[in-house]
Amino acid sequence: MIDYIYKEYDSVTSTNDVAKQLINEYCPEGTIIYTREQTDGRGRRGRMWQDKKGETLATSLVLYPTLPQEYISCITLVAALSVRAAIKNFSSLECKIKWPNDVICSDKKICGILTERIFVEGKSAVIVGIGVNVKNQEFPEELEDKATSIFNEVAAEKEEMRRVLGDDNDENYNSDVIRKLMEEDNNELLYLIWDRFNEYYDIFIKSGNMAGLVEEYNKCLINVGRVVKATDPIEEINGVALGINEMGELVISTGHGKKNISSGEVTVRGLYSYTK
Ligand code: BTN
């Protein structure tokens, strides 16, 4: 198990940038950065990650894994499992995972993960950056159909309960979650995420691959049984996703047999903007 050291900030460019700086200063494994605001949050593939002060949870963890290169990307899958479990512990919401790094609720993205690897004096370090939409009630127009938050999902459930049971019966439904969401500096979700990560990461490190987590991951995987389009660095692959294998690759059934995808972008038909 990793011993954590939490480092709290008010405002930073990106928690992954702070992690890089701390790695250069030889911080120990288990250093966790979290902040109330990111002014230059980063997503995958050079995209920006939009944060609103106090609304989005932004946190990064420093690891020094001694794994073969091909297993490093599995850490993103371990993180996605952890966030999904933590959101369920925190709010009872049932989320799914879109391979490799999105956590999804009601077919919209609630969390993104950016795992980066750097080398300092020959030592390999991995930064696991997690962003969760927690209190956001509104999103920029271009994200409205694609993004959601814990607050919006819990409020929608409460509204549905009121519709079904009538005004008198909804008093306590989800009230404790909404109360927690209203509190400033409530770090419960942060601790839940990293506690769950410690448990899943331990299973991953002990087996050296995803063997102990494949079944659980595939149960949560939104891609399974759906038409997907994978754009890996070389080609575009269309097919039906079957699930991940022990290497954390996404296995796709195509008209010409099975293909394993280890990196690249995967879109799921009917989710976000892929509707073809
Ligand atoms: C994505 O979905 O493209 C990944 C988004 C990752 C966002 C998190 S927020 C904490 C950490 N710091 C960053 O700058 N990015 C990650």
Side-chain angles (χ1 to χ4, degrees):
M1 290 283 190
I2 309 161
D3 288 327
Y4 290 144
I5 301 157
Y6 284 90
K7 286 186 174 285
E8 181 186 350
Y9 296 80
D10 195 42
S11 178
V12 299
T13 52
S14 149
T15 51
N16 276 29
D17 290 347
V18 177
K20 274 180 206 164
Q21 197 183 311
L22 294 176
I23 289 165
N24 279 309
E25 293 162 14
Y26 309 105
C27 70
E29 174 164 86
T31 302
I32 289 173
I33 296 102
Y34 67 101
T35 183
R36 287 184 195 86
E37 179 184 47
Q38 284 189 130
T39 53
D40 194 17
R42 291 184 285 106
R44 288 176 89 219
R45 301 179 181 276
R47 293 185 199 120
M48 63 183 275
W49 173 260
Q50 300 203 12
D51 273 284
K52 253 193 149 184
K53 190 168 186 170
E55 295 194 348
T56 315
L57 188 156
T59 180
S60 301
L61 165 70
V62 174
L63 296 171
Y64 298 109
T66 51
L67 293 160
Q69 160 73 28
E70 59 270 32
Y71 290 103
I72 296 289
S73 54
C74 294
I75 297 174
T76 302
L77 313 191
V78 173
L81 272 175
S82 314
V83 173
R84 185 195 169 275
I87 291 178
K88 184 160 167 66
N89 297 156
F90 180 78
S91 65
S92 302
L93 288 175
E94 290 284 353
C95 297
K96 292 272 187 184
I97 297 170
K98 176 176 165 288
W99 187 90
N101 70 318
D102 288 353
V103 181
I104 308 288
C105 198
S106 303
D107 277 358
K108 292 177 178 178
K109 181 161 165 171
I110 205 162
C111 158
I113 298 162
L114 177 66
T115 305
E116 296 182 286
R117 190 178 197 193
I118 61 165
F119 292 90
V120 178
E121 293 175 10
K123 196 173 170 189
S124 155
V126 170
I127 300 161
V128 187
I130 294 178
V132 186
N133 297 326
V134 180
K135 300 185 187 187
N136 318 51
Q137 297 188 33
E138 286 170 0
F139 289 92
E141 208 180 320
E142 68 277 13
L143 293 179
E144 254 174 21
D145 298 338
K146 299 179 186 167
T148 190
S149 66
I150 296 182
F151 182 92
N152 280 357
E153 292 304 315
V154 168
E157 270 195 359
K158 194 173 172 75
E159 190 49 41
E160 181 65 3
M161 208 49 136
R162 177 179 291 137
R163 195 184 63 76
V164 173
L165 298 177
D167 281 348
D168 298 339
N169 291 299
D170 81 316
E171 277 298 288
N172 296 316
Y173 190 71
N174 272 347
S175 301
D176 55 332
V177 185
I178 290 176
R179 181 187 42 74
K180 286 191 290 189
L181 287 168
M182 292 302 173
E183 279 169 19
E184 246 179 69
D185 295 328
N186 181 323
N187 289 326
E188 184 182 330
L189 183 64
L190 173 82
Y191 298 134
L192 282 169
I193 289 173
W194 293 122
D195 285 353
R196 294 295 84 79
F197 184 89
N198 227 337
E199 294 159 7
Y200 285 120
Y201 190 67
D202 195 50
I203 298 172
F204 168 64
I205 289 296
K206 280 184 178 143
S207 59
N209 60 32
M210 288 296 285
L213 299 172
V214 164
E215 197 182 330
E216 182 172 349
Y217 191 91
N218 282 337
K219 271 192 200 148
C220 319
L221 192 58
I222 204 162
N223 308 61
V224 169
R226 293 176 74 168
V227 173
V228 296
K229 181 168 68 181
T231 320
D232 82 358
I234 304 165
E235 54 181 337
E236 186 182 296
I237 296 157
N238 291 285
V240 174
L242 301 177
I244 61 158
N245 60 20
E246 293 184 0
M247 292 189 68
E249 297 165 327
L250 185 68
V251 183
I252 300 179
S253 172
T254 73
H256 317 283
K258 289 182 190 169
K259 290 256 185 183
N260 300 341
I261 310 294
S262 58
S263 65
E265 194 80 316
V266 173
T267 45
V268 179
R269 189 172 169 183
L271 193 67
Y272 306 164
S273 51
Y274 175 37
T275 49
K276 207 165 29 167

